[in-house]
Amino acid sequence: QVQLLESGGGLVQPGASLRLSCVPSGRAVTEHTMAWFRQPPGKDREFVAAIKRNSHMTSYKNSLKGRFTISRDNAKNTLYLQMNSLGPDDTAVYYCAATPQSLITSSLAGVRFYDYWGQGTQVTVSS
């Protein structure tokens, strides 16, 4: 069993940046395909970004490319999501997800392919 602990959410003004962190307990981040999803108010959970197991290959929701960056610090055993130029549409609960499986690229955005989920961290963008 892997527990994922997210942090870094908060209330920010439009145009600001935030960096979310996710630490898996007892397992190395490199041993899992890891991803960020988000759930806006009243909407379904949606894919944000993923990074493949034992690889630097990443995948993003098309509309977020260039603003959001997923990365992994192996020394700190931490997954990050750097979010820039935030707008009200980015308001959501952000979830870290992980699976020990090596997913093919077309599966990275699928909620059902991930075995472990964090509790979520709230990001609110408002003036």
Side-chain angles (χ1 to χ4, degrees):
Q1 187 75 11
V2 177
Q3 293 184 328
L4 304 174
L5 181 61
E6 302 122 330
S7 61
L11 171 62
V12 297
Q13 294 187 338
S17 298
L18 272 179
R19 187 177 75 165
L20 306 182
S21 301
C22 173
V23 179
S25 64
R27 294 291 187 272
V29 289
T30 55
E31 295 177 2
H32 292 78
T33 298
M34 300 196 72
W36 290 97
F37 287 78
R38 68 184 184 182
Q39 188 162 14
K43 297 183 179 180
D44 293 334
R45 195 168 298 191
E46 64 179 18
F47 173 71
V48 173
I51 186 166
K52 287 191 173 184
R53 179 176 180 268
N54 289 327
S55 170
H56 293 291
M57 291 186 63
T58 58
S59 178
Y60 293 90
K61 177 181 172 67
N62 283 337
S63 62
L64 300 178
K65 287 180 181 178
R67 282 201 304 125
F68 286 21
T69 303
I70 188 171
S71 63
R72 186 177 56 212
D73 186 327
N74 296 342
K76 294 183 178 180
N77 200 39
T78 301
L79 178 76
Y80 298 105
L81 182 69
Q82 177 67 42
M83 306 184 293
N84 298 327
S85 301
L86 287 164
D89 288 346
D90 296 314
T91 294
V93 178
Y94 284 72
Y95 296 92
C96 176
T99 175
Q101 304 300 318
S102 294
L103 300 179
I104 60 175
T105 301
S106 60
S107 297
L108 289 171
V111 170
R112 68 184 185 277
F113 294 111
Y114 292 88
D115 301 297
Y116 308 111
W117 293 84
Q119 80 288 352
T121 185
Q122 177 71 47
V123 173
T124 302
V125 185
S126 175
S127 56

